[in-house]
Amino acid sequence: NDGDALEFIESLRQKIRNLEAAGKINRNYDPYIQPDLQDEETYDFIIVGGGSAGSALVHRLSEISDWKILLLEAGGEPDILSDVAYWSQLLHLTENNWNYFTEKEENFGLGLEDQKMYWPRGKILGGSSQLNFMVYSRGAREDYDRWENMGNPGWSYKDVLPFFKKLETCKLAHADWEFRGTDGPISAEDPYRSKVADVFVEAAKQAGYEYLDYNGRSHAGVSHVQGTTSKGFRCSGERCYIRPIKNRKNLTISLHSSVIKLLIKDKTAYGVEFERNGRIYKAYTRKEIILSAGVINSAQILLLSGIGPEKELSKFGIETIQDLPVGRKIYDHPAFIGLGFTTDMNIVMDGRKALEDEAFIELYNNGTGILTSIVQAQSLMFAKTAVAQDNIPDVEIILFSSHFCENFEIGLAKNVHISRKIYEDLCPSYEGMAKFFLGIFLLYPESYGYLELASASYNGQIFSWNFPIISGIVWLS
Ligand SMILES: Cc1cc2nc3c(=O)[nH]c(=O)nc-3n(C[C@H](O)[C@H](O)[C@H](O)COP(=O)(O)OP(=O)(O)OC[C@H]3O[C@@H](n4cnc5c(N)ncnc54)[C@H](O)[C@@H]3O)c2cc1C
């Protein structure tokens, strides 16, 4: 049950604490000291949400020492497990997750608990980069060029490439160096792999796919997975962008600070209202407010601020400032994870090793070993199906050295909310066997959904942030 999962997570945290107390590892972790906030302070930039986007903005904007920056993050500081790539996925099961679900629909999610699709989002400094799969993957060249052709100058691949290079330190054994960077804050590394990774690559090569750096000249081919890790640790936005600069004098990082709405006058946002430790504050800006609260919560904040479909806002008595289709079209990449294999060869990862003290000592002292594995993702290919358009790969196939038919409470099944019934019907005879699976991700889904407010708890009252405010994500098949 969930209690057992939390106990297991706590035992891993305790293991790290014990190893540190025994002097076997050194975490070098310096906690975030919370600032004494004044109400009605003015800043140059207010950044709402310290996830992937917010972390990069905090780092880069605070390089200008004359600019005073405020970061407001609803979650808290990193969990002791956040940095450990192999185990950090377990943060899904803790309070560091917003825990969203889509609405129940008739025709999909049939194998999921309550037929609802699960949308984990990080509620922690670093946001979803603290609980994602860490597959280091840029968008496709063709996508950026298409964006530019749709009337967005500055978004072609040629235009965005210098920024991809600037953000990264590429440490891969095999890289297309003309397209890679060497001294940025985020690093791309080869994570720990087992032999099945090479079996997959070899099979794809035999089927005619080129072995390449999928973040290089072209992504159409096969490759080993590139991990967003730094010296073997999860390279979250928090660890790689914020932690090294968190003591800059012009930067205020306020955690457990939930933005309620934007303050708007004459159609210009001049500040935000937020809640911290039960107290409501206002903060004002001289330059800009940057809404980087993630795909769901940024929409929520706009809606609560009166920016959204008038019909929806009026239902909740929210005055419309700008009638815009906020939340009306939301895409994600559906994945099929049902293609599993068992093997009697010694080629898959042995998860038991990830529990041993030696694995933690190797990670903290050398940055190597099984704990650098990024959720056991090992190899991948970008391929074209028979219906691919414009000759561009339309599926990504990732080989994972794991399977959902293992450890219901803490494993992949829980990560995607497979129903207990399906698990019990399908899995018992496979438990304990050596397994791997291919996840097939649709890159250009035609399906999309929308999200709507479920409540109008916006008017300065303190409301619970523990339950999803937005519940109406409806997927159209
Ligand atoms: C399970 C999973 C696996 C993934 N795997 C990969 C992968 O392998 N590779 C990859 O490239 N991408 C992956 N992604 C996607 C990637 O992690 C996200 O696209 C990215 O992190 C989104 O960044 P963001 O800044 O938009 O939002 P987030 O990183 O979610 O940041 C939003 C932040 O805003 C905060 N916030 C929200 N509301 C408020 C509020 N009202 N006030 C203050 N703060 C607020 C949140 O707590 C959070 O910290 C994955 C995502 C998930 C969920």
Side-chain angles (χ1 to χ4, degrees):
N1 60 38
D2 290 350
D4 292 341
L6 291 177
E7 220 170 89
F8 176 70
I9 293 169
E10 190 46 38
S11 72
L12 290 171
R13 291 177 179 137
Q14 195 53 44
K15 183 189 277 292
I16 298 175
R17 288 187 206 109
N18 291 346
L19 289 169
E20 190 170 33
K24 294 188 173 161
I25 63 169
N26 186 354
R27 283 179 68 224
N28 277 328
Y29 182 73
D30 173 30
Y32 286 77
I33 308 292
Q34 282 307 282
D36 249 347
L37 281 187
Q38 301 302 313
D39 196 16
E40 310 221 12
E41 273 280 293
T42 300
Y43 300 84
D44 290 290
F45 290 91
I46 301 172
I47 300 171
V48 180
S52 300
S55 302
L57 286 156
V58 163
H59 181 108
R60 294 301 188 193
L61 288 172
S62 63
E63 282 172 359
I64 314 279
S65 57
D66 289 347
W67 285 348
K68 198 171 150 194
I69 317 284
L70 172 67
L71 169 65
L72 296 169
E73 166 54 47
E77 73 177 290
D79 192 284
I80 193 166
L81 271 188
S82 300
D83 293 341
V84 182
Y86 188 99
W87 290 116
S88 48
Q89 195 68 8
L90 292 173
L91 296 189
H92 279 237
L93 306 175
T94 69
E95 72 286 356
N96 299 308
N97 180 2
W98 288 90
N99 236 335
Y100 290 119
F101 289 87
T102 63
E103 295 291 295
K104 184 172 175 171
E105 284 279 303
E106 227 178 289
N107 298 322
F108 59 77
L110 303 185
L112 305 182
E113 205 65 56
D114 297 330
Q115 267 178 254
K116 292 179 167 191
M117 284 199 281
Y118 175 47
W119 270 29
R121 310 301 303 173
K123 186 180 185 184
I124 179 172
L125 189 60
S128 302
S129 74
Q130 294 282 27
L131 45 74
N132 70 11
F133 286 4
M134 293 164 277
V135 175
Y136 193 106
S137 186
R138 298 173 182 168
R141 164 194 295 263
E142 294 83 356
D143 292 338
Y144 298 105
D145 290 343
R146 184 165 42 84
W147 288 2
E148 178 170 64
N149 291 337
M150 289 166 81
N152 300 294
W155 281 99
S156 73
Y157 186 68
K158 186 169 62 57
D159 292 318
V160 297
L161 182 58
F163 298 100
F164 281 133
K165 288 168 109 170
K166 182 178 175 189
L167 75 81
E168 77 174 9
T169 296
C170 176
K171 301 183 203 157
L172 301 166
H174 176 94
D176 199 346
W177 287 106
E178 186 188 335
F179 294 85
R180 306 305 303 246
T182 49
D183 58 1
I186 300 289
S187 52
E189 297 180 336
D190 288 305
Y192 182 86
R193 298 195 285 258
S194 54
K195 284 203 188 108
V196 70
D198 300 327
V199 173
F200 177 82
V201 166
E202 222 22 70
K205 279 179 16 193
Q206 283 177 22
Y209 290 91
E210 184 190 350
Y211 183 76
L212 44 66
D213 170 1
Y214 59 90
N215 289 310
R217 186 174 315 273
S218 161
H219 64 304
V222 65
S223 182
H224 289 104
V225 140
Q226 303 177 11
T228 315
T229 56
S230 172
K231 297 186 179 145
F233 293 101
R234 176 185 279 273
C235 183
S236 64
E238 182 280 324
R239 183 182 176 92
C240 285
Y241 268 125
I242 301 185
R243 207 180 294 181
I245 56 95
K246 73 184 184 31
N247 295 325
R248 280 183 184 158
K249 294 218 161 24
N250 58 337
L251 175 62
T252 304
I253 299 175
S254 183
L255 303 177
H256 301 293
S257 301
S258 297
V259 169
I260 297 167
K261 64 173 180 173
L262 305 171
L263 302 170
I264 300 174
K265 193 169 175 217
D266 299 332
K267 299 210 170 181
T268 302
Y270 64 92
V272 297
E273 190 173 287
F274 65 99
E275 179 261 319
R276 186 172 88 144
N277 299 333
R279 188 173 156 197
I280 304 292
Y281 292 81
K282 288 188 171 71
Y284 304 129
T285 181
R286 274 185 285 271
K287 290 187 170 31
E288 282 182 34
I289 297 163
I290 296 163
L291 212 45
S292 49
V295 70
I296 296 176
N297 293 60
S298 292
Q300 178 200 23
I301 294 168
L302 288 172
L303 292 164
L304 292 177
S305 309
I307 301 168
E310 185 157 25
K311 223 164 116 196
E312 183 188 336
L313 299 182
S314 63
K315 264 201 302 206
F316 294 105
I318 302 173
E319 185 198 339
T320 304
I321 292 175
Q322 190 73 40
D323 185 7
L324 283 173
V326 171
R328 301 315 295 175
K329 205 166 198 182
I330 180 165
Y331 284 92
D332 204 344
H333 57 71
F336 175 69
I337 61 163
L339 199 54
F341 303 84
T342 60
T343 173
D344 54 8
M345 289 186 281
N346 185 18
I347 53 173
V348 299
M349 222 176 259
D350 180 358
R352 286 168 305 185
K353 291 206 167 11
L355 285 165
E356 293 173 358
D357 285 1
E358 289 66 35
F360 286 85
I361 293 168
E362 182 177 0
L363 172 69
Y364 280 91
N365 293 343
N366 304 335
T368 54
I370 191 166
L371 294 181
T372 71
S373 161
I374 54 167
V375 201
Q376 306 194 35
Q378 307 239 323
S379 317
L380 61 75
M381 61 192 289
F382 287 94
K384 289 172 225 164
T385 67
V387 294
Q389 291 180 5
D390 304 323
N391 209 23
I392 304 168
D394 57 346
V395 288
E396 177 182 6
I397 303 174
I398 306 184
L399 172 104
F400 292 84
S401 181
S402 61
H403 196 270
F404 66 80
C405 281
E406 203 68 53
N407 293 327
F408 180 77
E409 295 305 341
I410 55 161
L412 185 66
K414 203 57 181 242
N415 267 190
V416 292
H417 271 253
I418 285 172
S419 78
R420 189 178 274 276
K421 177 168 183 336
I422 294 280
Y423 187 90
E424 280 169 6
D425 285 351
L426 268 180
C427 292
S429 56
Y430 297 114
E431 281 178 340
M433 294 173 87
K435 301 182 282 293
F436 60 93
F437 81 94
L438 301 178
I440 303 173
F441 296 79
L442 274 192
L443 300 176
Y444 298 98
E446 287 177 15
S447 316
Y448 58 87
Y450 60 89
L451 56 82
E452 285 183 341
L453 285 181
S455 130
S457 308
Y458 71 100
N459 54 358
Q461 310 249 345
I462 299 176
F463 44 88
S464 167
W465 287 85
N466 298 327
F467 61 88
I469 308 289
I470 297 180
S471 72
I473 303 167
V474 178
W475 216 256
L476 308 172
S477 48

